[in-house]
Amino acid sequence: MTSTAPGRPPTRDQVQRLQRAAGLLAQGKKAEALAEARTLAIELPAVGKVQHLLALTLKAEGQLEAARRAFEVALTLDPQDPQLAANHANLLVALGQTDAAITRYRAALALDPGNAEAWINLSVSLLRTADIAGALEAARRATVASPKWPAGWHALGAAQRAAGDVEGAAASLGTAVSLDPDNPPLRLALGVAERIRGRPAASLGHYEVAERLGMRSPELLDARASALLDVGDTAGAIALARTLCARHPDYAAGHIMLAEMLWEHGDAPETAFEGLVRASAARPADRTLQLGAAQLFLAARKPQAAIIVIDELRRREDSASLAALAAEAHRQAGDIVGALERLADAPEVWRRDVVWRRAQVRVLLAARRPEHAAKAAEETLAWIGYDQELLALIGTAWRMSGDLRERWLCDHERLVQTVDLDVASWIDGLRAHLLALHHARHAPLRQSLRNGSQTSGNLLGGDAPVIVQLREALEQAIRQALSRLPEDPSHPFLCRNTRGSRFVGSWSAKLLASGRHANHFHQQGWLSSAFYVQLPPSMGGDPKDNAGCLQFGQPDEDLGLTGLAPQHMVRPKVGRLALFPSYFWHGTVPFEDDTPRLTVAFDAQPA
């Protein structure tokens, strides 16, 4: 076949063949399209559209490196083609080169700001790099460019959910579903948002539609099981989780979820991990499953079991997060020297990993090296920002070393506030409603609660009248409390006070006799709380008896820092709301009484 001269335009026949090849690709006839594109590329090596089509057909056939070379040739021929730039970015995503893809998407959008698909893909890529603000802006631009395209609203909902704006996410995903009601992935995404929002019954409705439309993914079964647990159908949730594990044995999240459900809701917590252990043994190469098992072993205070799993994972492929987990396991086992050794001689890149740095600070505190711990925490806070765990740990380090900054950071007298709400007309209804939500037989694995139960889902997102009344009363009390706080632009809590807030998580806790909350902080919050709904008769009668009180300042007992006593107490009272910075160490003093202690708690972020 005779090749066309590089500078000569395509003939009419060649244009028709180019169009035919593009049509074949659109029809899914990839091999035929590639054969035609290869021939045209030989005949027209200097025509960018031909090289572009060749790149697309190569990508469709899975020949990604060859496609990359073809894209590079096409870009030298047509550097101002916005669709070429966008498609090149799509290939870079497939190659795992997310940062390069983001740069290419931005180049494409500079040439064509109205390309909604490129805005969507940019938003998804930015989310992968944790640039949530950028992802939000890109998704919003997609909805402006093409307001009737559901994919743009889907992207916006995903970005809003990542930003903690669950209400906004549900609204955006609701718009997407209204535009394409028969789209199963959209139904699944909206159902997840509704559940996180605190409306599990609504989420189940969307899951049923997705299943009716033919969706059979393990993610759908996972979401349905979680929603069933939230509506109180414990038996149904566990049965569905078992079905999920049987149908999709390679779906690691299912085995982890089932183990947690059985621990909290089963007859015998000591047998909850049996299925997870069998699944882990059957799939030793499943990194996600092995890691999840190790984390659950630690949550259940089985450090030796965790160490065996972690060591095997590290032998196969080490990482900063695995080294951190190994250090935590040795620390929990009481082997402080071993914990320090797991963090020694770490590569520089690991030292820029926040999970590794948190573990380092905890281990240094457990080793009673507060000056070193404070230095490591201070360095990390300088680049990570307002990390609640590091703030809690640096406060402890400063206290141990006698640094006066601890009084400024953890000024309990100034920053712990109480508000007594007028609850006489609705507290009995709230108490009955909450008690009916406590279905669990045992305390959850990954929480501070000991000897009691905790509700699942987002309590304050519910639409029961008594919950709506509670939410409105809490919002008013929070506004009043925030308005009373002093200003301090250098303080990591006070500098973020906008006088407004939004809930990012809420639940009810029921403590039984000898029950307590172990000392902890709240990583997801800025402002945290305790609202007292029911108290045992013996609690609060003797001002010298601290049983059941909310205590502040004493660090997690796992750190082994005996001698650091609580620094502040809040005495419980029905209708009392306690508000405090989320990084404050707080817990409860155990009590002995047959009547449960019932509270509502939430985390909030500045609005």
Side-chain angles (χ1 to χ4, degrees):
M1 184 178 293
T2 304
S3 175
T4 301
R8 186 177 301 171
T11 65
R12 181 178 179 182
D13 174 68
Q14 288 169 328
V15 170
Q16 290 175 342
R17 287 162 56 203
L18 181 65
Q19 292 170 345
R20 177 177 176 274
L24 289 169
L25 182 61
Q27 296 168 32
K29 299 177 180 179
K30 298 177 287 186
E32 294 178 55
L34 178 56
E36 188 69 88
R38 286 189 192 278
T39 301
L40 285 167
I42 294 171
E43 296 175 19
L44 301 166
V47 176
K49 291 187 182 301
V50 172
Q51 294 294 334
H52 186 179
L53 180 63
L54 176 61
L56 290 174
T57 55
L58 287 165
K59 177 174 181 278
E61 282 284 82
Q63 300 180 39
L64 301 187
E65 279 302 319
R68 179 183 59 78
R69 292 191 292 272
F71 268 119
E72 289 171 356
V73 172
L75 286 164
T76 62
L77 296 168
D78 284 339
Q80 299 302 307
D81 184 341
Q83 193 56 54
L84 172 59
N87 287 338
H88 182 220
N90 295 341
L91 174 73
L92 292 170
V93 170
L95 289 168
Q97 300 174 19
T98 305
D99 291 338
I102 289 170
T103 300
R104 182 55 63 186
Y105 282 129
R106 293 195 187 282
L109 289 162
L111 295 166
D112 180 13
N115 187 336
E117 183 177 7
W119 283 118
I120 291 168
N121 291 335
L122 174 60
S123 178
V124 172
S125 296
L126 289 169
L127 267 188
R128 289 196 183 104
T129 66
D131 183 356
I132 295 174
L136 280 167
E137 176 59 22
R140 289 192 180 103
R141 294 290 295 269
T143 62
V144 171
S146 186
K148 297 298 184 181
W149 194 16
W153 293 102
H154 191 178
L156 180 56
Q160 288 169 318
R161 180 183 162 192
D165 180 9
V166 182
E167 294 293 327
S172 295
L173 292 166
T175 300
V177 166
S178 70
L179 293 168
D180 189 3
D182 294 335
N183 185 313
L186 285 180
R187 288 284 185 173
L188 174 59
L190 178 55
V192 171
E194 289 287 13
R195 177 186 170 250
I196 296 173
R197 188 184 181 193
R199 301 182 181 182
S203 73
L204 285 169
H206 292 295
Y207 301 150
E208 288 168 7
V209 173
E211 188 171 29
R212 191 165 63 245
L213 292 169
M215 195 175 200
R216 298 291 184 269
S217 70
E219 290 80 9
L220 178 60
L221 291 176
D222 185 332
R224 279 185 55 206
S226 298
L228 286 172
L229 192 66
D230 286 0
V231 298
D233 185 0
T234 303
I238 292 175
L240 190 56
R242 291 189 189 280
T243 298
L244 169 59
C245 293
R247 288 185 188 172
H248 304 279
D250 293 336
Y251 184 67
H255 298 287
I256 296 166
M257 176 176 68
L258 178 59
E260 292 199 77
M261 282 186 180
L262 292 174
W263 177 279
E264 192 172 353
H265 300 276
D267 294 329
E270 61 272 11
T271 66
F273 289 175
E274 290 178 354
L276 179 63
V277 170
R278 286 194 299 270
S280 299
R283 281 170 287 282
D286 187 334
R287 190 174 179 84
T288 302
L289 180 59
Q290 300 297 328
L291 182 59
Q295 290 169 334
L296 285 191
F297 286 143
L298 282 181
R301 305 195 62 76
K302 300 176 183 291
Q304 297 300 338
I307 288 169
I308 293 171
V309 177
I310 296 165
D311 285 350
E312 180 59 30
L313 284 170
R314 295 191 73 190
R315 276 192 290 271
R316 294 179 180 181
E317 184 182 353
D318 209 357
S319 67
S321 58
L322 279 177
L325 199 63
E328 287 296 317
H330 281 270
R331 180 182 64 78
Q332 190 181 102
D335 178 13
I336 304 302
V337 173
L340 289 167
E341 288 174 347
R342 268 61 188 176
L343 299 172
D345 302 322
E348 187 59 34
V349 66
W350 289 12
R351 297 174 184 273
R352 293 290 295 178
D353 183 285
V354 67
V355 173
W356 189 94
R357 295 302 290 262
R358 290 180 189 138
Q360 179 194 33
V361 177
R362 284 194 296 268
V363 170
L364 288 170
L365 280 177
R368 297 186 177 273
R369 300 181 185 178
E371 291 83 2
H372 294 87
K375 184 176 183 293
E378 201 164 353
E379 290 173 352
T380 311
L381 285 166
W383 54 265
I384 199 62
Y386 305 107
D387 185 274
Q388 302 303 300
E389 179 170 356
L390 287 171
L391 289 170
L393 295 171
I394 200 172
T396 301
W398 283 342
R399 180 182 176 187
M400 292 172 68
S401 58
D403 193 317
L404 295 180
R405 286 179 293 179
E406 187 266 342
R407 299 181 187 177
W408 163 81
L409 179 66
C410 303
D411 188 342
H412 300 103
E413 295 294 337
R414 181 172 66 156
L415 299 180
V416 176
Q417 297 192 71
T418 59
V419 183
D420 291 337
L421 307 184
D422 182 3
V423 298
S425 63
W426 50 272
I427 196 69
D428 289 339
L430 177 62
R431 181 186 303 112
H433 180 81
L434 294 179
L435 288 172
L437 297 179
H438 281 271
H439 309 291
R441 301 183 183 186
H442 310 285
L445 262 177
R446 306 183 200 242
Q447 304 298 332
S448 65
L449 189 144
R450 305 288 186 268
N451 196 29
S453 62
Q454 184 168 304
T455 58
S456 64
N458 181 13
L459 178 70
L460 294 178
D463 52 7
V466 71
I467 293 297
V468 173
Q469 190 168 16
L470 170 64
R471 182 170 63 243
E472 291 173 350
L474 293 176
E475 288 172 341
Q476 181 179 358
I478 293 167
R479 285 193 296 270
Q480 293 174 355
L482 294 180
S483 69
R484 293 194 294 266
L485 287 171
E487 294 185 5
D488 185 346
S490 66
H491 193 279
F493 174 74
L494 294 173
C495 75
R496 300 176 65 196
N497 183 15
T498 63
R499 304 293 192 265
S501 65
R502 57 182 176 84
F503 298 121
V504 294
S506 54
W507 58 95
S508 171
K510 182 175 75 172
L511 291 179
L512 305 176
S514 302
R516 65 187 177 96
H517 285 279
N519 296 316
H520 63 290
F521 55 86
H522 291 202
Q523 177 67 5
Q524 302 305 316
W526 163 69
L527 180 73
S528 294
S529 64
F531 174 68
Y532 298 96
V533 179
Q534 173 179 286
L535 297 173
S538 61
M539 196 174 294
D542 183 355
K544 296 181 180 179
D545 183 2
N546 290 328
C549 284
L550 177 62
Q551 64 181 22
F552 292 92
Q554 187 175 52
D556 182 358
E557 62 195 36
D558 273 359
L559 293 174
L561 302 176
T562 56
L564 295 182
Q567 298 167 299
H568 186 77
M569 293 279 183
V570 167
R571 193 161 296 280
K573 175 184 175 183
V574 171
R576 175 165 291 171
L577 171 66
L579 296 167
F580 48 89
S582 296
Y583 63 82
F584 274 12
W585 289 111
H586 61 285
T588 54
V589 181
F591 66 94
E592 294 294 338
D593 207 302
D594 293 334
T595 302
R597 175 185 182 274
L598 188 66
T599 58
V600 168
F602 60 80
D603 288 328
Q605 287 283 352

